[in-house]
Amino acid sequence: MRSAELIELWRGGQRESSHCGDAVICDTKGVIEAWGRPEQIVFPRSSCKMIQALPLIESGAADAAGLTDRQLALACASHSGARIHVDAVDQWLRGLGMGESDLRCGCHMPRDADENRRLTCGDESPCQLHNNCSGKHAGFLTLNRHLGGGTEYVDPDHPVQQAVKAAFEEVTAETSPGYGIDGCSAPNWSCSLAGLGRAMAGFADPPDDTRGRAMRRLVDAMRAHPEMVAGEGRACTILMRAMGGRVAAKTGAEAVFVAILPDQGLGVALKVTDGATRAAEAAITALLVHLGVLPENDPAVGRFLTDPIRNWRGMVTGDMRTAPGFPA
Amino acid sequence: MRSAELIELWRGGQRESSHCGDAVICDTKGVIEAWGRPEQIVFPRSSCKMIQALPLIESGAADAAGLTDRQLALACASHSGARIHVDAVDQWLRGLGMGESDLRCGCHMPRDADENRRLTCGDESPCQLHNNCSGKHAGFLTLNRHLGGGTEYVDPDHPVQQAVKAAFEEVTAETSPGYGIDGCSAPNWSCSLAGLGRAMAGFADPPDDTRGRAMRRLVDAMRAHPEMVAGEGRACTILMRAMGGRVAAKTGAEAVFVAILPDQGLGVALKVTDGATRAAEAAITALLVHLGVLPENDPAVGRFLTDPIRNWRGMVTGDMRTAPGFPA
């Protein structure tokens, strides 16, 4: 099997660029629709943060720390480092009697334009709270306090990461071929795209047990707080808002995107082979329209897929479109 | 024929992402080495600015305006909008008795970090001088004053663009299938990748006539002023410096890259199918090493291809590498 053509960019009546990838729609039993290679091994990257957050709830650590849904949404987030995100993580860590220096995610400039400008113009450096994964790491620290592990909670052998690995292999129903180190220094376990899709279907249609209740709680938290999962202007936030909180959507680096559709009991997972964010956003948009959960005429569909592409003087220069056969 | 695998990204011992594309090495007679589809039709975008500048010289407009090599390099540039670029274009336009408002390229924030910060923190908007194509447009305006055309010099039917089209079709030795509108509003004519490569070979090994002398002058201008062709930290500038001015290199949007090798009489052209800059930069680096003009141990090779990829805490997370069979 080969990857499938997913997204094309046209200019002057000619196809200028195109993006291949793999995509699956799953229920809890497995793949029900696929493009490309469902068996393709992928690093889910940040798209699996809701999986990484399962031990936080299942261990009782979240309740012991009195975490709110807003904090659980942040544990599943790749946030923009806006003040609402940075302040919320700061407050969370203080609530644990900890601080920024306990994080192991590293520092990077925030995507959020206002906060970026504040740092740039104040000649200030970003701190670890600005890291898009700082909410996930606050979750790791919360779990770690509960488990009584050592300070280096991102080590692959650390009890926190071993708990994450166990949850990951259980919900994907696969033995992971291995891990890579993520941008935030945590191990990221790989799986097949079908395994990731099945895991998302599990979140969409969870069993009535400890795991299932944890899944439901995380999905509800993400859907209730789309602004915490990414940020203003970001695809996850915009798409979740456009679907009125019915669907949870999460992106990951290198063009992974997943969606959880509780009303349908379906999970979606896709990876664009070349890692292009623009194509992952366009492809998940197309699949959500295909599944009938995102109205075709919603401005979000225009923004990520169908609006004409304009240049610096506002002239239409081309368009983005789905490739023939994707999704229908 | 299919596109070829060019560049891969690995993490944790697994291939995470990969980039396909097409690439050719040509002499003036045609393709001498190819990967993927030499016949693939591409928009050269900014990679063909030295072609677009030919009529500026051949018409006598450049000499009539007393243009320097530094200005000719800027006519072939996608510059960073640093002060050296903005001031040079400003001065050029004043020399013509014109100004920023005569440009038709539109405004965008400059890539240059210092100038970007100055505008951001001063709450100032960028002007058309900041547009990465403003040097090319200053060249168009210089040609236009010589030709006596109307003010809307980016119209495809305007004498300036008709002169550009004629030069483009002559040096590619092809009838263009058509044009697209570029980011800077000028028409951008398409051609086969082989045609673009042959054109670059023409610049590398020019005939002893008006066209050939114009070609030589532009290549010499680019090689003498790499800082004007792009800017600090940018691939074209870094690669040209690394090769000690022996080679001219120019990128274009959507992952086109060309190189002109006068010592070898060779031209190189490549386009990454998905439009990823990281892959175009890595692929041209690999081809320049393959051709023996860029030492394998040069820091530029590390920067664009072989250095390990590190995360926010400096941990090695993976690497970029050429795909099997590319370039050798």
Side-chain angles (χ1 to χ4, degrees):
Chain A
M1 283 290 287
R2 300 185 61 89
S3 63
E5 299 265 352
L6 299 181
I7 299 295
E8 302 179 346
L9 286 101
W10 286 66
R11 178 180 302 266
Q14 300 173 51
R15 192 173 75 156
E16 182 172 28
S17 296
S18 63
H19 298 273
C20 290
D22 308 293
V24 293
I25 299 172
C26 297
D27 62 17
T28 54
K29 295 193 202 74
V31 175
I32 59 172
E33 200 169 0
W35 297 264
R37 306 158 296 182
E39 74 282 6
Q40 176 68 7
I41 299 298
V42 299
F43 286 112
R45 308 292 298 275
S46 289
S47 77
C48 71
K49 277 175 173 158
M50 73 295 282
I51 302 177
Q52 294 174 308
L54 285 172
L56 170 64
I57 298 182
E58 293 169 5
S59 66
D63 285 335
L67 295 192
T68 63
D69 272 7
R70 195 161 175 267
Q71 287 169 309
L72 291 178
L74 207 45
C76 301
S78 299
H79 66 68
S80 297
R83 288 315 310 177
I84 58 159
H85 307 120
V86 171
D87 291 345
V89 177
D90 186 40
Q91 199 183 341
W92 182 349
L93 295 178
R94 285 173 198 272
L96 297 173
M98 295 180 151
E100 183 265 359
S101 65
D102 293 302
L103 293 169
R104 294 291 181 271
C105 49
C107 309
H108 65 75
M109 283 295 280
R111 275 171 189 261
D112 180 75
D114 290 340
E115 183 66 358
N116 196 304
R117 179 194 305 232
R118 190 184 73 76
L119 294 175
T120 299
C121 304
D123 219 10
E124 214 179 299
S125 295
C127 70
Q128 295 191 90
L129 299 172
H130 290 102
N131 188 303
N132 74 90
C133 299
S134 67
K136 178 178 79 172
H137 283 247
F140 286 157
L141 283 171
T142 306
L143 174 60
N144 193 32
R145 200 181 60 164
H146 198 75
L147 299 177
T151 58
E152 303 312 306
Y153 65 85
V154 293
D155 284 350
D157 294 332
H158 190 280
V160 164
Q161 300 308 331
Q162 284 297 307
V164 167
K165 182 194 178 194
F168 183 82
E169 294 193 326
E170 284 159 20
V171 298
T172 58
E174 292 179 3
T175 302
S176 173
Y179 67 88
I181 299 299
D182 212 332
C184 71
S185 298
N188 193 259
W189 298 88
S190 66
C191 65
S192 74
L193 196 68
L196 184 59
R198 274 195 308 271
M200 294 305 116
F203 276 85
D205 186 12
D208 188 20
D209 58 13
T210 303
R211 160 106 349 131
R213 282 188 291 277
M215 286 174 151
R216 196 179 303 273
R217 195 163 155 194
L218 289 166
V219 173
D220 289 349
M222 290 175 73
R223 296 191 294 164
H225 299 283
E227 77 287 358
M228 300 309 281
V229 175
E232 298 307 321
R234 302 274 304 285
C236 294
T237 300
I238 290 171
L239 290 170
M240 283 196 278
R241 282 178 179 160
M243 294 181 288
R246 288 189 307 281
V247 172
K250 184 71 192 77
T251 193
E254 293 295 325
V256 180
F257 228 118
V258 300
I260 298 166
L261 290 68
D263 294 349
Q264 289 82 356
L266 297 176
V268 178
L270 68 85
K271 154 87 177 144
V272 177
T273 306
D274 59 69
T277 298
R278 67 179 182 188
E281 292 176 349
I284 195 73
T285 298
L287 286 178
L288 293 169
V289 171
H290 174 66
L291 287 166
V293 288
L294 180 62
E296 207 162 354
N297 60 356
D298 192 281
V301 178
R303 177 165 186 153
F304 297 115
L305 182 58
T306 55
D307 279 351
I309 299 172
R310 293 175 185 276
N311 72 7
W312 305 113
R313 291 170 75 215
M315 298 170 73
V316 172
T317 57
D319 62 87
M320 187 182 263
R321 53 183 86 162
T322 53
F326 178 77
Chain B
M1 283 293 286
R2 303 184 59 90
S3 62
E5 299 264 353
L6 299 181
I7 298 296
E8 303 178 345
L9 285 102
W10 286 66
R11 178 181 300 269
Q14 300 174 50
R15 191 173 76 156
E16 182 172 27
S17 297
S18 63
H19 298 272
C20 288
D22 307 293
V24 293
I25 298 171
C26 297
D27 62 17
T28 54
K29 297 193 200 74
V31 175
I32 58 171
E33 200 169 1
W35 297 264
R37 305 159 297 182
E39 73 283 6
Q40 176 69 6
I41 299 298
V42 299
F43 287 111
R45 307 292 298 273
S46 289
S47 76
C48 70
K49 277 174 174 160
M50 72 296 282
I51 301 177
Q52 294 173 308
L54 285 172
L56 169 66
I57 297 181
E58 293 169 5
S59 65
D63 284 335
L67 295 192
T68 63
D69 272 5
R70 196 162 173 266
Q71 287 169 309
L72 291 177
L74 207 45
C76 301
S78 300
H79 65 69
S80 297
R83 289 312 313 176
I84 57 160
H85 307 120
V86 171
D87 291 345
V89 177
D90 185 41
Q91 200 184 342
W92 183 347
L93 295 178
R94 284 171 199 273
L96 298 172
M98 294 180 151
E100 185 264 1
S101 64
D102 292 302
L103 293 170
R104 295 290 181 270
C105 48
C107 308
H108 65 75
M109 284 295 279
R111 276 171 188 261
D112 180 76
D114 290 340
E115 183 65 359
N116 196 304
R117 179 194 304 231
R118 192 185 71 76
L119 295 173
T120 300
C121 303
D123 220 9
E124 213 179 300
S125 295
C127 70
Q128 294 191 90
L129 299 171
H130 290 100
N131 188 303
N132 73 90
C133 300
S134 67
K136 179 178 77 173
H137 282 247
F140 286 158
L141 282 170
T142 306
L143 174 60
N144 193 32
R145 200 181 61 164
H146 199 75
L147 299 176
T151 57
E152 303 312 307
Y153 65 86
V154 292
D155 284 350
D157 293 333
H158 189 281
V160 165
Q161 300 309 330
Q162 285 296 307
V164 168
K165 182 194 178 194
F168 184 82
E169 293 191 327
E170 285 158 19
V171 298
T172 57
E174 293 180 2
T175 302
S176 173
Y179 67 88
I181 300 298
D182 214 330
C184 71
S185 297
N188 194 259
W189 299 88
S190 66
C191 65
S192 73
L193 195 68
L196 183 60
R198 274 195 308 270
M200 294 305 117
F203 276 85
D205 185 12
D208 187 21
D209 58 13
T210 303
R211 160 110 344 134
R213 281 187 291 276
M215 286 174 152
R216 197 180 303 272
R217 195 163 154 195
L218 289 166
V219 173
D220 288 349
M222 290 175 73
R223 296 190 294 165
H225 299 281
E227 77 287 357
M228 301 308 282
V229 175
E232 297 307 321
R234 301 273 305 283
C236 294
T237 300
I238 290 171
L239 290 170
M240 284 195 277
R241 282 178 180 160
M243 294 181 288
R246 289 189 306 281
V247 173
K250 182 75 191 75
T251 193
E254 293 295 325
V256 180
F257 227 118
V258 301
I260 298 166
L261 290 66
D263 293 348
Q264 289 82 355
L266 298 177
V268 178
L270 67 87
K271 152 89 177 146
V272 177
T273 306
D274 59 69
T277 298
R278 68 178 181 188
E281 292 175 350
I284 195 73
T285 298
L287 286 178
L288 293 168
V289 171
H290 174 66
L291 287 165
V293 287
L294 180 60
E296 206 162 355
N297 60 356
D298 192 280
V301 179
R303 177 165 186 153
F304 297 116
L305 181 58
T306 55
D307 279 351
I309 300 172
R310 292 175 186 277
N311 72 7
W312 304 113
R313 290 169 77 213
M315 297 170 74
V316 172
T317 56
D319 62 87
M320 187 182 264
R321 53 183 86 159
T322 52
F326 179 78

